[in-house]
Amino acid sequence: MIIITGVSGGIGSIVTDTLSKKEHILGIYNNNKPNKNKNVSYVKIDLQDETQIIDFVNSYRKKLSDITLVHFAAIKKDELAVNINSNDWDNIFDVNVKGAFLLTKHILKIMMEERWGRVIFISSKGSEAGDLGTTAYSSSKMALMGISRTLSKEYALFGITSNVISLGAFDAGLYSELSDKVKNEILAKIPSKKVGSIDNIANAIKFIIDSDYINGSTITIDGGV
């Protein structure tokens, strides 16, 4: 069973559709329910609410096995550091970090019982680089790397791995909303002068699922920037 958060838009929705061609997906969304896909079961959860997460795990407990948990859910609001609103900072961390941690925490208990599991956090190359105006977002994504490294050590003996996929530019999500000028600036930094195909992300997820010795790693998919 592959559980994917953030299936209502952007890259998460396309990856979900790609993986659903061969796997049944349990897709988690909050505000906007995605278009119907016969191979995806959709569940509405506010990841900031631990009670909803616990209720979800309890209600689906008998259906969950061989779990891969992929964290695409994230919010992003760009501001220079001196202009960041404390409420925006809290919201970004509540969803991007706390929500991802809480869902992982409760799913881990099932993984430990089965002695198998895959946890995959999604980060971005821009966060690692510290793109201008992304203090809150970049900090939240870097926090996921710390969580993943720790989980990889705590639960390896249970057959559970934890890894991060760090993404560069893909023709989906936030990239599609950029101006032509900004897109050209991004393309100029990529050796192949093209953005990535979503298939690359789906392939990386399948690779991690099939590889029990990939643990505590960050796999970067950015075209060689």
Side-chain angles (χ1 to χ4, degrees), residues 156-203:
L157 289 176
F158 292 92
I160 300 167
T161 67
S162 181
N163 294 282
V164 176
I165 298 177
S166 182
L167 303 178
F170 288 81
D171 193 13
L174 295 175
Y175 178 83
S176 60
E177 300 174 9
L178 299 174
S179 67
D180 289 341
K181 179 178 181 295
V182 175
K183 287 180 179 179
N184 289 333
E185 290 173 353
I186 292 173
L187 289 172
K189 299 176 183 178
I190 303 172
S192 62
K193 307 307 177 189
K194 64 179 183 180
V195 295
S197 161
I198 297 296
D199 288 343
N200 287 272
I201 305 172
N203 290 341

Side-chain angles (χ1 to χ4, degrees), residues 96-150:
N96 299 5
V97 182
K98 184 179 179 181
F101 168 74
L102 289 175
L103 182 58
T104 301
K105 169 187 172 181
H106 292 288
I107 293 294
L108 272 171
K109 297 173 183 178
I110 301 174
M111 292 178 172
M112 291 171 68
E113 291 174 7
E114 295 195 323
R115 303 191 71 82
W116 195 93
R118 302 286 183 263
V119 181
I120 303 173
F121 297 96
I122 304 298
S123 186
S124 73
K125 194 65 182 296
S127 296
E128 296 175 40
D131 287 348
L132 294 175
T134 67
T135 304
Y137 180 77
S138 293
S139 299
S140 71
K141 287 299 186 180
M142 295 304 289
L144 295 178
M145 293 186 176
I147 292 173
S148 182
R149 288 289 292 174
T150 303

Side-chain angles (χ1 to χ4, degrees), residues 76-113:
K76 185 175 187 283
K77 184 173 183 180
D78 291 351
E79 289 282 1
L80 294 176
V82 295
N83 296 325
I84 294 174
N85 181 291
S86 60
N87 289 331
D88 289 339
W89 178 280
D90 290 343
N91 288 336
I92 289 170
F93 268 79
D94 280 349
V95 173
N96 299 5
V97 182
K98 184 179 179 181
F101 168 74
L102 289 175
L103 182 58
T104 301
K105 169 187 172 181
H106 292 288
I107 293 294
L108 272 171
K109 297 173 183 178
I110 301 174
M111 292 178 172
M112 291 171 68
E113 291 174 7

